[in-house]
Amino acid sequence: MPPRSARPADNLDDDDYPAYTMGRAAEMLGTTPAFLRTLGEHRLITPLRSEGGHRRYSRYQLRIAARARELVDQGTPIEAACRIVILEDQLEEAQRINEQLRAQGGQPQSKSSA
Protein backbone atom coordinates (compact mmCIF):
# COMPACT_ATOMS: atom_id res chain seq x y z
CA MET A 1 0.00 0.00 0.00
CA PRO A 2 1.25 3.52 -0.67
CA PRO A 3 2.55 5.54 2.25
CA ARG A 4 -0.11 7.34 4.18
CA SER A 5 -0.39 11.07 3.84
CA ALA A 6 0.58 13.24 6.79
CA ARG A 7 -3.02 14.41 6.63
CA PRO A 8 -5.39 11.45 6.16
CA ALA A 9 -8.06 13.76 4.72
CA ASP A 10 -5.76 14.35 1.72
CA ASN A 11 -6.51 10.77 0.63
CA LEU A 12 -10.20 11.60 0.20
CA ASP A 13 -9.49 13.51 -3.01
CA ASP A 14 -6.94 11.04 -4.38
CA ASP A 15 -8.47 8.97 -7.23
CA ASP A 16 -5.54 6.54 -6.98
CA TYR A 17 -5.73 5.88 -3.23
CA PRO A 18 -6.66 2.21 -2.66
CA ALA A 19 -9.55 2.82 -0.29
CA TYR A 20 -11.99 0.03 -1.15
CA THR A 21 -11.87 -3.63 -0.18
CA MET A 22 -12.81 -6.24 -2.75
CA GLY A 23 -16.16 -6.85 -1.09
CA ARG A 24 -17.03 -3.17 -0.95
CA ALA A 25 -15.85 -2.62 -4.54
CA ALA A 26 -17.96 -5.53 -5.80
CA GLU A 27 -20.96 -4.23 -3.88
CA MET A 28 -20.55 -0.72 -5.30
CA LEU A 29 -20.33 -2.10 -8.86
CA GLY A 30 -23.17 -4.57 -8.40
CA THR A 31 -20.93 -7.46 -9.33
CA THR A 32 -19.03 -10.28 -7.63
CA PRO A 33 -15.50 -10.48 -6.26
CA ALA A 34 -14.85 -13.14 -8.93
CA PHE A 35 -15.55 -10.54 -11.64
CA LEU A 36 -12.96 -8.21 -10.09
CA ARG A 37 -10.43 -11.05 -9.88
CA THR A 38 -11.07 -11.81 -13.56
CA LEU A 39 -10.37 -8.19 -14.48
CA GLY A 40 -7.08 -8.55 -12.62
CA GLU A 41 -6.27 -11.76 -14.48
CA HIS A 42 -6.81 -9.91 -17.77
CA ARG A 43 -4.59 -7.11 -16.46
CA LEU A 44 -7.26 -4.45 -16.75
CA ILE A 45 -6.82 -3.40 -13.14
CA THR A 46 -4.15 -4.36 -10.64
CA PRO A 47 -5.30 -3.68 -7.11
CA LEU A 48 -2.78 -2.83 -4.46
CA ARG A 49 -2.51 -5.13 -1.47
CA SER A 50 -2.95 -4.27 2.17
CA GLU A 51 -0.32 -5.34 4.68
CA GLY A 52 -2.43 -8.46 5.23
CA GLY A 53 -2.48 -9.23 1.49
CA HIS A 54 -6.06 -8.15 0.81
CA ARG A 55 -6.90 -6.46 -2.49
CA ARG A 56 -7.63 -2.72 -2.31
CA TYR A 57 -9.16 -0.74 -5.16
CA SER A 58 -9.03 2.97 -5.99
CA ARG A 59 -11.87 5.10 -7.36
CA TYR A 60 -10.06 5.20 -10.70
CA GLN A 61 -9.93 1.40 -10.80
CA LEU A 62 -13.61 1.20 -9.92
CA ARG A 63 -14.49 3.49 -12.84
CA ILE A 64 -12.47 1.24 -15.16
CA ALA A 65 -14.16 -1.87 -13.76
CA ALA A 66 -17.60 -0.25 -14.12
CA ARG A 67 -16.93 0.44 -17.81
CA ALA A 68 -15.86 -3.17 -18.34
CA ARG A 69 -19.02 -4.35 -16.60
CA GLU A 70 -21.16 -2.19 -18.91
CA LEU A 71 -19.57 -3.84 -21.94
CA VAL A 72 -19.94 -7.35 -20.50
CA ASP A 73 -23.58 -6.65 -19.63
CA GLN A 74 -24.09 -5.67 -23.31
CA GLY A 75 -22.80 -9.08 -24.38
CA THR A 76 -19.14 -8.31 -25.03
CA PRO A 77 -16.81 -11.17 -24.02
CA ILE A 78 -14.76 -10.19 -20.99
CA GLU A 79 -11.43 -10.44 -22.86
CA ALA A 80 -12.70 -8.05 -25.53
CA ALA A 81 -14.24 -5.74 -22.92
CA CYS A 82 -10.89 -5.47 -21.13
CA ARG A 83 -9.10 -4.66 -24.39
CA ILE A 84 -11.71 -2.05 -25.33
CA VAL A 85 -11.43 -0.33 -21.95
CA ILE A 86 -7.62 -0.31 -22.17
CA LEU A 87 -7.79 1.27 -25.64
CA GLU A 88 -10.38 3.83 -24.51
CA ASP A 89 -8.17 4.77 -21.57
CA GLN A 90 -5.10 5.12 -23.81
CA LEU A 91 -7.05 7.29 -26.27
CA GLU A 92 -8.30 9.54 -23.47
CA GLU A 93 -4.74 9.97 -22.18
CA ALA A 94 -3.42 10.77 -25.66
CA GLN A 95 -6.17 13.34 -26.17
CA ARG A 96 -5.37 14.93 -22.79
CA ILE A 97 -1.67 15.20 -23.67
CA ASN A 98 -2.51 16.61 -27.10
CA GLU A 99 -4.76 19.24 -25.52
CA GLN A 100 -1.99 20.20 -23.07
CA LEU A 101 0.49 20.61 -25.92
CA ARG A 102 -1.95 22.79 -27.82
CA ALA A 103 -2.59 24.92 -24.74
CA GLN A 104 1.18 25.41 -24.36
CA GLY A 105 1.48 26.44 -27.99
CA GLY A 106 3.54 23.36 -28.90
CA GLN A 107 2.18 22.01 -32.15
CA PRO A 108 3.31 18.48 -32.97
CA GLN A 109 5.31 18.45 -36.20
CA SER A 110 3.86 16.54 -39.10
CA LYS A 111 6.10 14.07 -40.96
CA SER A 112 6.15 16.33 -44.02
CA SER A 113 7.61 19.30 -42.07
CA ALA A 114 10.22 17.30 -40.21
Side-chain angles (χ1 to χ4, degrees):
M1 240 167 137
R4 292 183 182 232
S5 169
R7 294 183 43 219
D10 291 343
N11 294 328
L12 296 175
D13 293 327
D14 185 354
D15 263 4
D16 295 318
Y17 184 75
Y20 302 98
T21 63
M22 177 180 276
R24 181 68 180 130
E27 180 183 318
M28 290 171 68
L29 296 172
T31 190
T32 63
F35 179 78
L36 292 172
R37 281 191 295 274
T38 301
L39 296 180
E41 290 168 9
H42 290 288
R43 294 190 175 102
L44 179 62
I45 55 176
T46 304
L48 291 173
R49 299 283 183 149
S50 68
E51 290 178 15
H54 300 282
R55 290 174 178 88
R56 297 286 182 162
Y57 297 88
S58 68
R59 287 190 309 216
Y60 172 75
Q61 290 172 323
L62 294 184
R63 283 194 300 274
I64 295 291
R67 176 64 180 132
R69 177 159 190 246
E70 287 174 16
L71 291 168
V72 169
D73 287 350
Q74 295 169 4
T76 305
I78 195 158
E79 299 84 8
C82 289
R83 185 67 182 138
I84 289 167
V85 173
I86 288 168
L87 290 170
E88 287 175 343
D89 197 47
Q90 289 172 344
L91 176 60
E92 185 178 310
E93 177 70 6
Q95 289 172 330
R96 185 188 61 75
I97 291 168
N98 194 18
E99 193 59 39
Q100 283 179 339
L101 288 172
R102 285 190 179 143
Q104 296 169 359
Q107 295 293 324
Q109 290 186 344
S110 66
K111 290 182 181 181
S112 61
S113 65

